């Protein structure tokens, strides 16, 4: 899949002069970021190669007379990345009133956090070039290679070994539920998009989640689970969760300004959904809060070789992939050279994507409105039913916010304290202690260049 960013720019001392400054800023940013100089071996998916710091990326130039043409150009760029040459493409699209700067990067080398880092560096470098000043970027943090080596050490750590029983138990629960094929060659994806208006979004984000000692992620996943349970008549759902992945690996590692793909992907099973709102909220919250170290260890155990072999499921995936990106609105700072572009830049994933769950949900907030993108395998699921499921998620979000507003916050705050709960306090505490011993598709990020004098 391809993550990408777009940028628009107005006049700033002539087109040729702007392009010169843009090349200078881009060259400095590329030199400081190994991800922009990375290629992949087609013969082996396990190897990435980084060119030396003198390597450059050419700025491709295009002409466009309409937004439709811009979308077509961007979609063509990001769907034709030649991995053996480079995993990043950069384009300047000339329009009537402004120019658009577009970056397409393969997900192997960039994630949502990385886009913000790249945007900041590009802003700083381009702004300095405009003023004929020396380009000084913030000090680099540890490299992606440092991170990879830390993962290898983490693989055999005592802390990660303690997580193995938890992940084995989770996979055992998954095997008792319907699952997706991890790689399905018959899959053909379609997408459904639903949105909440500004008022509905604000109502949900202001939800009083602290009353259940939870957060917006707990409530959002509860809304997804409850809607799925109602539409399909089930009481348990398996999720493939995504997190930013920049978690503690047990050693000093500064990766807050490191660009790369750090995303953690891990399974969560939410059981015992009854339709009673408070019960389902607590069941979801507890399932999420029991995940050790926010799930970063699961794929380390699966894919990084270690002294202890772990046989996890490789042919099957969870029913639903879920990723909440948070607020993706672009902050337009006073005096900045770049601001947000809302022009559609095409598909965020390949329609030929064969891997992952049969239902994949990516959601975010943009300009004050919540947006949910549901991709699904049309050979497995009926569109009308999925439309009800997607719309039901929005309804559940509003229902949860309304419930919490009227909830007095008194006990119970855990399932163990609920009257008539199916499991005893002893069983709940035992599960919490077991978890305690074990204890981030594509991402659009938009930038836009303002007129600079």
């Amino acid at each position: 899949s391809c993550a990408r960013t777009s940028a628009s720019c107005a006049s700033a001392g002539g087109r040729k002069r702007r392009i010169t400054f843009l090349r200078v800023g881009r060259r400095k940013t590329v030199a400081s970021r190994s991800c922009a100089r990375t290629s992949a071996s087609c013969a082996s998916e396990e190897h990435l190669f980084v060119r030396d710091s003198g390597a450059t990326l050419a700025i491709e130039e295009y002409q466009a007379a309409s937004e439709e043409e811009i979308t077509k150009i961007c979609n063509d760029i990001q769907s034709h990345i030649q991995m053996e040459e480079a995993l990043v493409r950069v384009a300047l699209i000339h329009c009537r009133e402004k120019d658009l700067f577009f970056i397409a990067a393969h997900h192997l080398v960039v994630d949502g956090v990385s886009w913000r880092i790249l945007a900041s560096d590009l802003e700083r470098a381009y702004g300095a070039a405009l003023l004929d000043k020396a380009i000084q970027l913030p000090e680099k943090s540890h490299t992606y290679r440092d991170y990879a080596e830390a993962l290898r050490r983490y693989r055999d750590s005592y802390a990660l070994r303690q997580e193995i029983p938890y992940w084995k138990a989770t996979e055992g629960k998954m095997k008792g539920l319907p699952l997706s094929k991890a790689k399905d060659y018959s899959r053909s994806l379609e997408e459904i998009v639903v949105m909440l208006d500004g008022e509905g979004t604000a109502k949900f984000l202001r939800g009083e989640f602290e009353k259940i000692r939870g957060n917006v992620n707990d409530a959002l996943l509860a809304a997804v689970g409850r809607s799925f349970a109602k539409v399909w008549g089930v009481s348990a759902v398996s999720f493939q969760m995504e997190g930013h992945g920049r978690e503690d690996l047990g050693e000093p590692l500064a990766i807050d300004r490191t660009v790369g793909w750090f995303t953690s992907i891990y399974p969560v099973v939410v059981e015992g959904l009854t339709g009673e709102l408070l019960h389902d909220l607590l069941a979801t919250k507890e399932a999420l809060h029991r995940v050790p170290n926010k799930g970063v260890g699961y794929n380390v155990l699966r894919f990084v070789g270690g002294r202890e072999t772990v046989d996890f499921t490789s042919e099957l995936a969870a029913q639903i992939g879920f990723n909440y990106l948070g607020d993706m609105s672009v902050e337009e700072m006073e005096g900045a050279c770049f601001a947000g572009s809302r022009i559609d830049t095409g598909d965020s994933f390949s329609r030929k994507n064969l891997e992952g769950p049969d239902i994949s949900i990516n959601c975010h907030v943009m300009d004050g409105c919540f947006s949910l993108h549901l991709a699904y395998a049309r050979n497995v699921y009926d569109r009308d039913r999925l439309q009800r499921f997607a719309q039901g998620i929005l309804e559940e979000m509003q229902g949860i916010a309304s419930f919490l507003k009227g909830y007095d916050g008194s006990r119970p705050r855990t399932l163990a304290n609920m009257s008539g709960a199916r499991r005893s306090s002893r069983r709940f505490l035992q599960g919490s202690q077991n978890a305690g011993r074990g204890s981030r598709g594509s991402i659009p990020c938009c930038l836009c260049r303002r007129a600079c004098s």
Side-chain angles (χ1 to χ4, degrees), residues 317-337:
Q319 291 171 284
I320 302 174
F322 182 79
N323 185 18
Y324 175 52
L325 299 168
D327 194 337
M328 297 294 291
S329 304
V330 178
E331 295 184 17
E332 298 188 4
M333 297 178 292
E334 185 176 353
C337 299

Side-chain angles (χ1 to χ4, degrees), residues 210-256:
E210 68 280 356
K211 288 183 176 179
I212 60 165
R213 297 176 182 169
N215 54 49
V216 65
N217 297 292
D218 304 330
L220 187 52
L221 194 69
V224 176
R226 280 172 57 81
S227 180
F228 188 88
K230 288 180 179 179
V231 174
W232 273 272
V234 298
S235 61
V237 188
S238 64
F239 294 95
Q240 177 177 287
M241 304 294 294
E242 291 193 28
H244 61 71
R246 300 176 190 235
E247 309 297 348
D248 179 23
L249 299 181
E251 61 182 86
L253 193 68
I255 52 176
D256 56 302

Side-chain angles (χ1 to χ4, degrees), residues 6-9 98 123 330 337-341 446-450:
S6 63
S8 72
C9 46
K98 56 188 176 183
E123 169 72 38
V330 178
C337 299
F338 291 89
S341 171
C446 294
L447 299 169
C448 145
R449 187 171 147 302
R450 290 180 172 177

Side-chain angles (χ1 to χ4, degrees), residues 25-317:
R26 178 262 305 156
R27 189 179 304 120
K28 183 68 175 180
T29 303
V30 168
S32 69
R33 296 294 171 194
S34 59
C35 78
R37 309 189 308 275
T38 301
S39 61
S41 167
C42 292
S44 172
E45 295 180 357
E46 296 181 356
H47 292 88
L48 298 177
F49 301 94
V50 181
R51 298 180 178 90
D52 63 49
S53 59
T56 61
L57 285 174
I59 296 181
E60 306 169 32
E61 293 190 57
Y62 300 86
Q63 299 284 339
S66 66
E67 288 196 9
E68 290 75 17
E69 288 186 29
I70 294 168
T71 300
K72 184 178 179 181
I73 291 169
C74 293
N75 204 46
D76 183 71
I77 290 171
Q78 62 188 359
S79 63
H80 289 86
I81 289 180
Q82 301 299 318
M83 296 179 64
E84 67 276 9
E85 296 177 6
L87 296 176
V88 180
R89 290 180 68 181
V90 179
L92 187 62
I93 305 172
H94 302 295
C95 308
R96 289 193 183 97
E97 298 179 355
K98 56 188 176 183
D99 292 339
L100 295 172
F101 186 57
F102 178 74
I103 305 172
H106 196 285
H107 223 334
L108 279 171
V109 292
V110 74
D111 58 16
V113 175
S114 298
W115 274 129
R116 292 176 173 87
I117 299 169
L118 287 171
S120 175
D121 284 357
L122 184 61
E123 169 72 38
R124 185 185 294 261
Y126 183 81
L130 282 178
L131 300 174
D132 293 325
K133 292 183 177 180
I135 298 176
Q136 295 182 333
L137 300 179
E139 289 188 15
K140 293 178 65 175
S141 49
H142 283 94
T143 66
Y144 199 64
R145 179 189 291 274
D146 295 331
Y147 170 73
E149 292 173 349
L151 284 182
R152 292 190 180 279
R153 292 188 292 272
Y154 183 60
R155 173 61 175 83
D156 290 321
S157 68
Y158 173 80
L160 188 55
R161 288 200 302 274
Q162 302 310 298
E163 294 184 15
I164 293 175
Y166 171 86
W167 293 119
K168 285 185 175 180
T170 299
E171 287 219 334
K173 294 177 182 178
M174 288 176 59
K175 292 175 181 178
L177 298 171
L179 297 173
S180 308
K181 293 182 180 179
K183 183 172 287 189
D184 184 355
Y185 290 95
S186 66
R187 180 179 293 160
S188 177
L189 297 178
E190 289 190 359
E191 188 175 46
I192 293 172
V193 180
V194 294
M195 298 181 66
L196 275 180
D197 60 18
E199 182 179 354
T201 300
K203 176 184 177 182
F204 178 73
L205 294 179
R206 289 198 299 262
E208 298 175 47
F209 310 118
E210 68 280 356
K211 288 183 176 179
I212 60 165
R213 297 176 182 169
N215 54 49
V216 65
N217 297 292
D218 304 330
L220 187 52
L221 194 69
V224 176
R226 280 172 57 81
S227 180
F228 188 88
K230 288 180 179 179
V231 174
W232 273 272
V234 298
S235 61
V237 188
S238 64
F239 294 95
Q240 177 177 287
M241 304 294 294
E242 291 193 28
H244 61 71
R246 300 176 190 235
E247 309 297 348
D248 179 23
L249 299 181
E251 61 182 86
L253 193 68
I255 52 176
D256 56 302
R257 279 189 43 79
T258 305
V259 172
W261 189 51
F262 293 83
T263 305
S264 55
I265 300 175
Y266 56 95
V268 168
V269 176
V270 179
E271 302 174 288
L273 297 173
T274 65
E276 199 279 308
L277 202 154
L278 179 58
H279 178 280
D280 292 350
L281 263 176
L282 294 177
T284 305
K285 182 199 76 169
E286 291 176 12
L288 283 175
H289 290 208
R290 279 197 296 268
V291 174
N293 203 19
K294 299 183 180 178
V296 71
Y298 179 70
N299 273 346
V300 176
L301 289 168
R302 289 182 70 194
F303 299 115
V304 180
R307 289 193 295 268
E308 183 174 350
T309 301
V310 182
D311 184 21
F312 285 160
T313 301
S314 58
E315 299 301 321
L316 298 174

Side-chain angles (χ1 to χ4, degrees), residues 378-423:
R378 65 180 182 180
N379 60 313
V380 177
Y381 286 100
D382 173 69
R383 185 177 182 87
D384 290 340
R385 207 173 194 186
L386 282 169
Q387 190 75 52
R388 297 203 312 272
F389 168 46
Q391 196 62 43
I393 295 172
L394 303 187
E395 295 169 2
E396 291 292 342
M397 290 167 63
Q398 297 299 282
I400 289 171
S402 297
F403 169 80
L404 290 176
K405 185 176 181 180
Y407 180 52
D408 62 10
S410 62
R411 295 207 177 256
R413 294 186 184 179
T414 68
L415 288 181
N417 290 323
M418 286 193 70
S419 175
R422 293 183 179 179
R423 56 182 180 169

Side-chain angles (χ1 to χ4, degrees), residues 5-22:
T5 180
S6 63
S8 72
C9 46
S11 62
R15 176 170 288 178
K16 289 184 179 180
R17 185 166 178 262
R18 293 201 315 277
I19 294 174
T20 299
F21 291 146
L22 193 56

